[in-house]
DNA sequence: GCATCTTTTAGAATAGTTCTAATCTGCTTG
DNA sequence: CAAGCAGATTAGAACTATTCTAAAAGATGC
């Protein structure tokens, strides 16, 4: 249906406390309408421009940071000099394929990590990231 | 043979296929004479300059990359926009303290990771990184 | 000590990201 | 539905980490 619009994304953005501007709706559509994605600012910018919606790179960066802060995305750091943003915000871990730079999810519920030492004095656990680095 | 110098580091560099230049020896001394370290290019540059050995930042970057390629260091990526270099090249994992940016080792031999899926088709396992993110 | 090849260096260049400040737009109010 | 306003977008500058360039200096082998 989408009588021209995207009520779902509009609503989702509003629920996250973000105005559903045209650019944010276009970005949200690209990010969230299929399955889970891992994008960089540049790759997302290229994709959204291909939909003929003009969006500046600065806006892509702004939106990615806002979406992450709102809990719609999660940031993944696996390689120096580039940030990935992940539409899968649930618990999971990653394969990182070098030198391609591809990221693949795997569920964390079948993975057992035992014997982790307790956090250093004065700190609290925030998240455990497992990155399985593979190469061709 | 240079009495007063650092024959161990000279030798270690030579063994790694690197000429023991003054700059590389000075850097190796700072890096390897104490216990294990995690440094950035900037932090190492500051440290070595404090020893009154003039070394350019470009040389620090060159040396870090060469040391890593030679297996003397390992590169750790935990935060966007900065690379850490680790003098501990054995198997181990990391605590990453935000927002300080501190890295702490913990041994991997007491940690058990079970249930990891097998690598994607056409890839081979290279390394498994566990990053325990903590905050104050 | 000389020749040769390597390394260092200052500064320019590059890549990813953030900032600035001017313009525009979504939303509320009358 | 017209203002009015706060919030968003944008081009381009700025910034940070890193790499590159090409010229000068240094290490090594003879
Ligand atoms: Mn960011
Ligand atoms: Mn590097
Ligand atoms: Zn993911
Ligand atoms: Zn370490």
């Amino acid at each position: 249906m989408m009588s021209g619009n995207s009520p779902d994304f509009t609503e989702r953005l509003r629920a996250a406390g973000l105005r559903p501007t045209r650019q944010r709706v276009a970005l949200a559509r690209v990010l969230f309408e299929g399955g889970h994605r891992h994008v960089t600012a540049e790759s997302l910018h290229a994709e959204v421009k291909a939909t003929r919606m003009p969006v500046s790179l600065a806006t892509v960066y702004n939106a990615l940071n806002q979406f992450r802060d709102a809990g719609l995305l999660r940031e993944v750091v696996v390689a120096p000099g580039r940030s990935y943003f992940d539409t899968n915000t649930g618990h999971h871990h990653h394969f990182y394929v070098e030198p391609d730079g591809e990221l693949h999810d795997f569920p964390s519920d079948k993975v057992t990590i035992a014997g982790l030492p307790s956090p250093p004095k004065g700190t609290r656990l925030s998240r455990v990231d497992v990155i399985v680095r593979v190469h061709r």
Side-chain angles (χ1 to χ4, degrees), chain A:
Chain A
M1 317 70 354
M2 45 176 57
S3 38
N5 291 4
S6 296
D8 359 355
F9 297 119
T10 296
E11 197 38 50
R12 197 156 165 190
L13 288 169
R14 237 189 277 273
L18 297 166
R19 275 200 196 175
T21 64
R22 308 181 207 173
Q23 288 81 344
R24 294 209 273 229
V25 171
L27 290 164
R29 192 182 286 136
V30 170
L31 284 170
F32 303 121
E33 82 183 347
H36 286 149
R37 313 270 329 259
H38 301 95
V39 303
T40 62
E42 287 285 358
S43 77
L44 179 59
H45 188 222
E47 272 193 82
V48 77
K49 274 198 307 186
T51 71
R52 302 187 150 281
M53 173 52 154
V55 183
S56 75
L57 185 56
T59 294
V60 173
Y61 275 105
N62 288 340
L64 285 172
N65 288 327
Q66 293 151 352
F67 289 9
R68 176 204 56 215
D69 293 348
L72 267 34
L73 291 176
R74 148 178 165 182
E75 192 168 358
V76 183
V77 180
V78 284
R82 71 170 61 165
S83 264
Y84 289 85
F85 289 86
D86 192 343
T87 60
N88 184 351
T89 56
H91 286 165
H92 69 284
H93 298 304
H94 293 101
F95 282 113
Y96 181 63
V97 185
E98 285 173 301
D100 318 34
E102 266 176 64
L103 271 181
H104 301 288
D105 286 350
F106 63 85
S108 62
D109 53 356
K110 291 189 179 173
V111 179
T112 316
I113 307 174
L116 284 184
S118 41
K121 287 252 157 84
T123 69
R124 264 169 211 236
L125 191 101
S126 161
R127 194 170 83 185
V128 179
D129 285 341
V130 177
I131 296 153
V132 180
R133 294 174 186 277
V134 302
H135 64 273
R136 304 212 165 273

